Amino acid sequence: MKKAMFGLVSGLIILVALIIGLIRFTERIDNGNVGIRYSMNGGVKDKALGQGVHFVGLDYVTQYPIRTQTVHQEVGLATKDGKKTVVKISYAYHVDATKAVNVYKKFGSADILSIEKGWLSQKLQKAGRDTMSEYTLLDVMGSSSAKVQGGILTTFQKSVEKQGFIIEDLSFGVPSVDAQTQKSIDDLIKAGQDNKRAELEAKSKQIKAEAAAKAKLTRADATAQANEKINNSVTDKTIQYMEAQARLKHGWVTTQGNGSVITDQTK
């Protein structure tokens, strides 16, 4: 009985040891991630681990996402005209699987969240500062907003790509400003709209005036052309014919002698 009990306990101990060993000496790489192995006696392994369970022994494993991650961040920036503002910026990125080892060599055991809040955040702020310094606040909030967004994206991409981070896209929110600055911007926009409206109204009046003048000229040309056709079509024979037609209809007067005798002849 005691022997059987001892065997059962021994088996349980071995099973527990195997489970602990399996957990300790293997690493499960999540879907969409790669794993970087670091050995105490050999340093960083050159090849990253793909998804699935891997035997790693005593090596330490850090996982990085190769699927898309989205980050939302508020960035304090200043414009060309010295206006300070806070902008909400969102960007999507992933780690280049072929450069994951480089990421680990630069950041060591830091997880991806720490990298986002540290190094990536600093790079985004610098890209934002460099781009915003080329535009006034009115430009940023108006017609040049798309250029600002594109400039930040391009600068940010170039600054992190070599290290192994691929920035897929970036969205740039409306800068937040104090009430006084906002009122000044609103007044400028309204003034611009009023000027534009006045220009459109003036242009409309000009077009109408030009159209009326053109119509008047067209009518005058048509009348002149009609009169010219009539003048060109009237000949001596035409006049004689019209005179004969009138006499047939209304009669005519003939004077004989020296004008003392007048005879009214009709049909």
Side-chain angles (χ1 to χ4, degrees):
M1 183 67 178
K2 289 183 180 181
K3 188 175 182 179
M5 182 63 69
F6 178 77
L8 179 59
V9 172
S10 298
L12 289 173
I13 292 174
I14 293 173
L15 180 60
V16 170
L18 288 174
I19 293 173
I20 293 175
L22 183 64
I23 294 173
R24 176 63 187 85
F25 300 118
T26 60
E27 181 76 19
R28 180 180 181 276
I29 307 301
D30 297 330
N31 184 29
N33 285 11
V34 292
I36 307 301
R37 293 177 63 181
Y38 175 80
S39 174
M40 294 297 292
N41 57 1
V44 180
K45 305 293 183 182
D46 292 332
K47 187 176 180 180
L49 301 174
Q51 68 180 64
V53 178
H54 302 270
F55 179 79
V56 296
L58 295 176
D59 292 351
Y60 180 82
V61 177
T62 298
Q63 296 192 38
Y64 295 114
I66 56 174
R67 65 184 183 279
T68 299
Q69 305 286 310
T70 301
V71 179
H72 305 284
Q73 184 173 336
E74 289 189 351
V75 184
L77 302 172
T79 57
K80 183 178 180 179
D81 49 350
K83 299 294 185 181
K84 294 183 179 180
T85 181
V86 176
V87 183
K88 292 182 179 180
I89 298 178
S90 299
Y91 66 91
Y93 81 96
H94 66 270
V95 174
D96 184 348
T98 63
K99 295 180 179 180
V101 173
N102 294 337
V103 174
Y104 185 88
K105 287 181 178 180
K106 180 175 179 63
F107 300 103
S109 59
D111 59 29
I112 198 65
L113 185 60
S114 299
I115 297 173
E116 287 176 4
K117 292 182 176 180
W119 187 76
L120 281 175
S121 176
Q122 294 171 5
K123 291 295 184 181
L124 176 60
Q125 288 177 345
K126 186 177 187 308
R129 287 196 301 268
D130 292 347
T131 303
M132 287 277 281
S133 64
E134 300 176 3
Y135 299 89
T136 65
L137 182 60
L138 191 59
D139 291 334
V140 174
M141 300 185 72
S143 59
S144 298
S145 59
K147 293 181 180 179
V148 175
Q149 178 172 310
I152 295 176
L153 173 60
T154 301
T155 305
F156 189 29
Q157 286 174 326
K158 291 180 179 179
S159 66
V160 301
E161 183 177 7
K162 185 177 180 181
Q163 190 57 52
F165 293 90
I166 307 300
I167 307 301
E168 300 173 10
D169 57 48
L170 178 145
S171 63
F172 180 84
V174 178
S176 62
V177 294
D178 59 77
Q180 183 177 357
T181 302
Q182 184 63 55
K183 184 178 183 305
S184 299
I185 292 172
D186 292 341
D187 291 343
L188 288 172
I189 293 174
K190 185 177 183 303
Q193 291 173 339
D194 291 342
N195 290 338
K196 189 65 176 179
R197 188 181 301 108
E199 289 177 5
L200 291 174
E201 290 176 354
K203 186 66 174 178
S204 178
K205 290 179 180 179
Q206 180 183 353
I207 292 173
K208 288 180 180 179
E210 291 175 351
K214 185 176 181 180
K216 186 176 181 180
L217 182 60
T218 301
R219 289 194 299 270
D221 288 344
T223 301
Q225 290 176 8
N227 290 335
E228 184 179 0
K229 288 182 179 179
I230 292 173
N231 292 334
N232 292 336
S233 65
V234 175
T235 64
D236 291 341
K237 290 184 178 181
T238 304
I239 295 172
Q240 291 173 2
Y241 174 76
M242 293 173 66
E243 190 178 70
Q245 290 293 105
R247 286 175 175 176
L248 286 174
K249 182 175 181 180
H250 304 290
W252 68 91
V253 176
T254 302
T255 303
Q256 295 181 350
N258 58 5
S260 59
V261 179
I262 300 176
T263 303
D264 184 9
Q265 298 180 355
T266 58
K267 297 189 292 182

